[in-house]
Amino acid sequence: MLCLGIETSCDETAVALVENGRLLGQRLASQVDVHALFGGVVPEIASREHLRVLPGLYRALLEETGVRSEAVSCIAVSRGPGLLGALLIGLSFAKGLSLAIGAPLVGVNHLHAHLLAAGLERDIPFPALGLLVSGGHTHTYAVHADHDFRLLGRTLDDAAGEAFDKAAKRLNLPYPGGKLIDDLASGAEPDHGMFPRAFIDNDSLDFSFSGLKTAVVNHVDAHPHLALPSLAGPEALAPEVRAELAVVCASFNWSVADTLRIKTERALRRVPEAKALIVAGGVAANSMLRATMAELAGRNGLELVLPSPSLCTDNAAMVACAGERLARAGFYHGLDLEAVPRGRKVPLDWVGLGA
Ligand code: KG4
Ligand code: ZN
């Protein structure tokens, strides 16, 4: 099977080709620089950029891989959750192509695609516990199969990535600042008392990160020299301020990673049959979180399934990978496939091939 993946749910436009679980090639255009000017993603601009670059990316992918459009046997498209206008660009492109070449459609849940991304690099044993940590979501799932995800816990307010980005914004780091906080923290020892680990003294599997974000804002308000002068990089800081900032970043990083550790370990008790722990989404690229989850998996006798950092952030390879797995299991969609905005549940509305 040769599966095309299309990703336009947020601010990355991406296409990829996967054949029998192997990535043949991918093309990605990031809009990060455009949105950074506004300190966050502007939905209308995101849609327009997807529309502008998607056809060119597809042509370049075909050229790079030497694949003809007609050879594509299934078209997988990220159908939500995401920005509605942005999703509609990918869906319309996928539907047009499906009509033109006669290949069937598979609508892919973007969040499930993140958790299946590692399938391009290794086997994923099921059942597994899945932790999805991205800019918009923090979810734990019991994952029984490629198409069988049962939600266990979710964030009640900010997602983990959102907390990273908002803390970074208060420090005047450019959007999205998660990776920069990770980099700035490297080499520093976290101060475990500096920031709270919110909503852990309860039985809930849900997360809350908005209090942590406020704690960082309050800390920087009290120590304003920590915020970078506008348009300057960290190299503009005096070495002692840079060292102080590193401890702040490491401490924040630790509070997020340790909160995720506590809740993930708690969720694991609900899935005692789990053989593996899958950690995915943009924040899964975080070095402290990767180390924390490796330790947790080792201690609980679980295989750790972590995509390479480049497969953690939004990409189309994960969409093609998830789509191919669904198509193999007989799960397809018709041309009436709907986009699902953030906040709405993605329906299990597959139809069989030819239905
Ligand atoms: O999965 P993703 O690319 O997009 C969504 O579907 O949301 O995740 C993006 C998020 C952003 O919040 C970004 O700051 C965060 O992932 N991120 C990181 C790192 N790399 C990306 N957060 C912490 N450490 C990183 N190394
Ligand atoms: Zn994502």
Side-chain angles (χ1 to χ4, degrees):
M1 185 173 282
L2 178 57
C3 186
L4 169 69
I6 302 171
E7 165 59 44
T8 64
S9 66
C10 191
D11 57 349
E12 321 278 358
T13 321
V15 288
L17 280 168
V18 164
E19 188 170 35
N20 303 327
R22 198 173 64 86
L23 181 64
L24 297 188
Q26 60 176 326
R27 287 276 161 156
L28 185 143
S30 176
Q31 308 171 6
V32 135
D33 293 348
V34 183
H35 298 291
L37 297 170
F38 301 91
V41 177
V42 182
E44 177 66 21
I45 295 178
S47 307
R48 285 166 187 251
E49 280 297 295
H50 290 312
L51 189 59
R52 191 174 68 78
V53 305
L54 185 52
L57 286 182
Y58 180 56
R59 269 195 301 275
L61 177 69
L62 294 183
E63 255 170 50
E64 170 198 326
T65 54
V67 167
R68 287 178 311 107
S69 246
E70 294 68 30
V72 171
S73 47
C74 122
I75 301 171
V77 58
S78 201
R79 56 95 56 112
L83 302 171
L84 190 60
L87 289 164
L88 285 172
I89 305 296
L91 248 69
S92 304
F93 187 85
K95 289 178 183 181
L97 194 62
S98 169
L99 275 174
I101 64 174
L105 274 183
V106 188
V108 170
N109 181 321
H110 175 90
L111 308 179
H112 298 180
H114 270 301
L115 285 161
L116 295 173
L120 289 168
E121 301 177 322
R122 50 158 299 156
D123 270 359
I124 304 180
F126 297 122
L129 180 73
L131 169 67
L132 170 79
V133 268
S134 71
H137 297 86
T138 308
H139 284 178
T140 46
Y141 294 94
V143 190
H144 288 270
D146 296 322
H147 60 281
D148 185 351
F149 287 68
R150 301 174 199 173
L151 187 64
L152 299 171
R154 59 186 307 160
T155 183
L156 300 174
D157 40 55
D158 291 352
E162 207 172 343
F164 268 102
D165 295 340
K166 287 178 175 167
K169 192 170 184 174
R170 181 62 191 91
L171 289 164
N172 281 345
L173 296 168
Y175 174 86
K179 165 119 184 46
L180 296 165
I181 291 199
D182 191 4
D183 293 346
L184 282 168
S186 101
E189 274 304 310
D191 172 348
H192 294 180
M194 189 176 277
F195 298 120
R197 291 166 301 162
F199 204 59
I200 53 172
D201 298 321
N202 53 38
D203 292 333
S204 172
L205 298 184
D206 292 333
F207 305 89
S208 166
F209 287 108
S210 69
L212 174 58
K213 168 197 69 191
T214 309
V216 175
V217 170
N218 291 343
H219 187 87
V220 183
D221 285 349
H223 306 85
H225 60 282
L226 287 170
L228 290 171
S230 86
L231 300 179
E235 59 287 348
L237 298 173
E240 63 280 8
V241 178
R242 172 78 199 258
E244 197 184 335
L245 180 61
V247 173
V248 169
C249 290
S251 307
F252 171 80
N253 220 329
W254 178 80
S255 285
V256 176
D258 207 54
T259 304
L260 291 169
R261 175 190 65 77
I262 291 166
K263 296 279 172 159
T264 302
E265 202 141 28
R266 196 175 291 168
L268 200 51
R269 296 204 278 276
R270 305 271 182 95
V271 200
E273 67 279 22
K275 297 180 186 148
L277 170 64
I278 313 172
V279 186
V283 182
N286 182 269
S287 42
M288 196 180 287
L289 183 62
R290 292 174 87 85
T292 302
M293 290 298 154
E295 187 275 330
L296 187 160
R299 197 155 31 79
N300 288 280
L302 296 171
E303 265 187 59
L304 179 66
V305 177
L306 257 178
S308 308
S310 65
L311 276 179
C312 285
T313 44
D314 284 351
N315 64 84
M318 69 183 193
V319 178
C321 171
E324 190 185 40
R325 286 167 168 252
L326 289 172
R328 278 187 185 289
F331 296 107
Y332 288 93
H333 285 100
L335 288 172
D336 56 353
L337 172 66
E338 283 183 335
V340 180
R342 198 175 145 190
R344 239 181 66 198
K345 199 170 178 305
V346 178
L348 305 176
D349 54 358
W350 298 293
V351 293
L353 194 54

